[in-house]
C-alpha cells in the first residue's frame, strides 16, 4: 500500500460491535417486558473445520447478547430422516425462535429439502424458498445475513442508494442473489457478474457500488474499480504468502486506494454476518410474539 491510498476503510468490526450492543439492550428490554429469552438453534453436521469455527463464533455471540444458544452437533453420517426429525422438533419448540443449519452439508443430504423443512418464520438464514420469494417480491422476509450486513454498511456510507449502478460479482443463493434483490429494493441499477460473464473487468468499472462474493483470492484488481466507488469484499480466502498463511478477500485491497471506501478482510463483512444473524433472531422472536419491530436493528 502506498501513500496515495485514500479509500476509507469501512470498519465492519466496529459496526458489528455497535449493533451487538444495541441487540443486547433490546434483549434485556424484551426479557423484562415478556419474561422470555430469545433462543437460536444451530445445527452442525460433520467435522468441516471452517464450519466448526463459524458455529463456535455464532454460539459465543448469541450468549454475549443474552440469548439462549442451542448447538446440535451431529455426525457426518447422519441421515436425511434423522435431520428432518430434529428440525421438526426445533420447529415445534417455543424456546427456539431461530434455526440455522450450517452449510455446506455432507453430499448425501438434500440441502434444498433440509432448508425448506425449517419453519419459514424461524429461518434466520433467510434461505427458505418462502423467504427468498418474499424478498424477491418486496414482502416482509427474513433476509440472508451476509447481504443484510453489506446493505447496512452501504446505506451507512452512502445514504440513499437510488439510481446508483451496482455490480454484484457472484450469483450464489447465500450472497449474490439476495444481495441483488436487496439492491434492487433500494432502486439501484444492478448487474450480476459470474464465472461465465464476458468483460467482467469492464463491467466492474461501471460500478458505483461493487460487491464481490466469489471465493477467489484477490480476483478483482485495482483497475477493475471505478475511482470513487464503494467496494464490499465478501471473500474470506486462506492463502500462503511468503511461507505464511494469510486471509485475503476477493479484492486486491492494496490496489483499491482510489475507491471512496472499501471493507477490509478480515474485519469487514465477516463480523457483520453474525451480528445480522442475531438481529434476525430477534426479528423472528418479535414476529412470533406479535411485538413491534425495532427499525433500528431490523435491517
Ligand atoms: N455457510 C457459509 N455461510 C453460511 C451462512 O450464511 N449460513 C449457513 N447456514 N451456512 C453458511
Amino acid at each position: 500500500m502506498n501513500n496515495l491510498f485514500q479509500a476509507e476503510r469501512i470498519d465492519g468490526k466496529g459496526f458489528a460491535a455497535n449493533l451487538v450492543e444495541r441487540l443486547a439492550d433490546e434483549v434485556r428490554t424484551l426479557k423484562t417486558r415478556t419474561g422470555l429469552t430469545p433462543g437460536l438453534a444451530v445445527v452442525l453436521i460433520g467435522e468441516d473445520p471452517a464450519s466448526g469455527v463459524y458455529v463456535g463464533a455464532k454460539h459465543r455471540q448469541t450468549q454475549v447478547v443474552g440469548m439462549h444458544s442451542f448447538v446440535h452437533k451431529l455426525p457426518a453420517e447422519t441421515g436425511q430422516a434423522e435431520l428432518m426429525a430434529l428440525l421438526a422438533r426445533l420447529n415445534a419448540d417455543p424456546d427456539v425462535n431461530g434455526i440455522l443449519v450450517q452449510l455446506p452439508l455432507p453430499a448425501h443430504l438434500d440441502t434444498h429439502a433440509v432448508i425448506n423443512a425449517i419453519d419459514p418464520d424461524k429461518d434466520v438464514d433467510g434461505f427458505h424458498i418462502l423467504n427468498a420469494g418474499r424478498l424477491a417480491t418486496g414482502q416482509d422476509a427474513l433476509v440472508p445475513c451476509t447481504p443484510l450486513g453489506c446493505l447496512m454498511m452501504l446505506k451507512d456510507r452512502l445514504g440513499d442508494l437510488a439510481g446508483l449502478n451496482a455490480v454484484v460479482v457472484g450469483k450464489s443463493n447465500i450472497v449474490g442473489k439476495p444481495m441483488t434483490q436487496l439492491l434492487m429494493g433500494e432502486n439501484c441499477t444492478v448487474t450480476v457478474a459470474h464465472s461465465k460473464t464476458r468483460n467482467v473487468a469492464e463491467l466492474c468499472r461501471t460500478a458505483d457500488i461493487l460487491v464481490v462474493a466469489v471465493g477467489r483470492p484477490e480476483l478483482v484488481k485495482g483497475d477493475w474499480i471505478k475511482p470513487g466507488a464503494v467496494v464490499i469484499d465478501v471473500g474470506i480466502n486462506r492463502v500462503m504468502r511468503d511461507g505464511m498463511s494469510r486471509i485475503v478477500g476477493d479484492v486486491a485491497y492494496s490496489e483499491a486506494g482510489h475507491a471512496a471506501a472499501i471493507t477490509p478482510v478480515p474485519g469487514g463483512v465477516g463480523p457483520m454476518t453474525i451480528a445480522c444473524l442475531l438481529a434476525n433472531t430477534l426479528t423472528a422472536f418479535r414476529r412470533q410474539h406479535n411485538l413491534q419491530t425495532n427499525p433500528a436493528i431490523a435491517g
Side-chain angles (χ1 to χ4, degrees):
M1 239 173 306
N2 57 36
N3 292 336
L4 297 174
F5 194 93
Q6 287 173 341
E8 179 199 330
R9 180 180 177 279
I10 300 175
D11 179 13
K13 198 171 164 189
F15 203 106
N18 191 288
L19 179 54
V20 163
E21 218 167 277
R22 282 182 288 143
L23 291 167
D25 275 349
E26 277 288 310
V27 171
R28 268 191 295 275
T29 307
L30 284 170
K31 275 187 190 173
T32 311
R33 254 176 81 189
T34 66
L36 299 169
T37 301
L40 171 65
V42 175
V43 180
L44 173 64
I45 297 134
E47 307 290 333
D48 180 64
S51 290
V53 170
Y54 292 139
V55 167
K58 287 168 185 174
H59 173 63
R60 281 191 299 280
Q61 285 290 314
T62 304
Q63 291 184 324
V64 163
V65 295
M67 298 201 259
H68 285 146
S69 170
F70 310 101
V71 176
H72 295 263
K73 288 189 180 168
L74 305 179
E77 48 298 345
T78 300
Q80 185 88 13
E82 195 183 333
L83 181 51
M84 291 299 198
L86 171 61
L87 292 176
R89 284 201 300 281
L90 296 175
N91 284 341
D93 185 342
D95 292 335
V96 172
N97 306 106
I99 302 170
L100 176 150
V101 178
Q102 187 66 29
L103 303 178
L105 292 176
H108 67 278
L109 295 169
D110 179 343
T111 301
H112 289 309
V114 168
I115 288 171
N116 291 328
I118 297 170
D119 177 345
D121 293 334
K122 294 189 177 185
D123 168 38
V124 284
D125 255 332
F127 295 163
H128 190 287
I129 195 164
L130 206 66
N131 281 313
R134 285 176 181 154
L135 176 61
T137 52
Q139 301 176 62
D140 247 0
L142 284 165
V143 175
C145 307
T146 300
L148 182 58
C150 295
L151 185 70
M152 282 184 188
M153 291 190 284
L154 283 168
K155 286 171 84 166
D156 181 66
R157 181 64 180 67
L158 289 166
D160 186 10
L161 308 185
L164 295 177
N165 284 341
V167 173
V168 177
V169 187
K171 62 176 176 71
S172 69
N173 290 338
I174 293 182
V175 185
K177 285 178 195 161
M179 189 77 243
T180 300
Q181 301 289 355
L182 284 171
L183 290 166
M184 282 199 289
E186 297 296 324
N187 296 310
C188 291
T189 303
V190 191
T191 312
V192 183
H194 47 79
S195 58
K196 300 287 189 291
T197 298
R198 293 175 196 160
N199 300 327
V200 62
E202 209 172 292
L203 201 61
C204 288
R205 279 193 284 273
T206 67
D208 304 309
I209 294 170
L210 182 59
V211 181
V212 191
V214 287
R216 303 252 314 263
E218 299 181 330
L219 171 79
V220 173
K221 311 300 176 208
D223 66 355
W224 296 27
I225 299 170
K226 175 173 157 176
V230 176
V231 182
I232 305 288
D233 186 351
V234 182
I236 301 175
N237 309 290
R238 188 170 286 283
V239 294
M240 290 301 287
R241 290 282 154 80
D242 306 322
M244 298 218 305
S245 170
R246 285 190 49 205
I247 302 284
V248 300
D250 291 348
V251 178
Y253 187 90
S254 63
E255 299 175 16
H258 56 291
I262 179 167
T263 55
V265 179
V269 173
M272 280 302 284
T273 296
I274 296 187
C276 287
L277 170 66
L278 304 175
N280 276 352
T281 304
L282 213 47
T283 300
F285 173 87
R286 285 177 167 284
R287 287 186 190 162
Q288 286 157 32
H289 293 283
N290 292 316
L291 299 163
Q292 210 183 8
T293 302
N294 180 348
I297 56 170

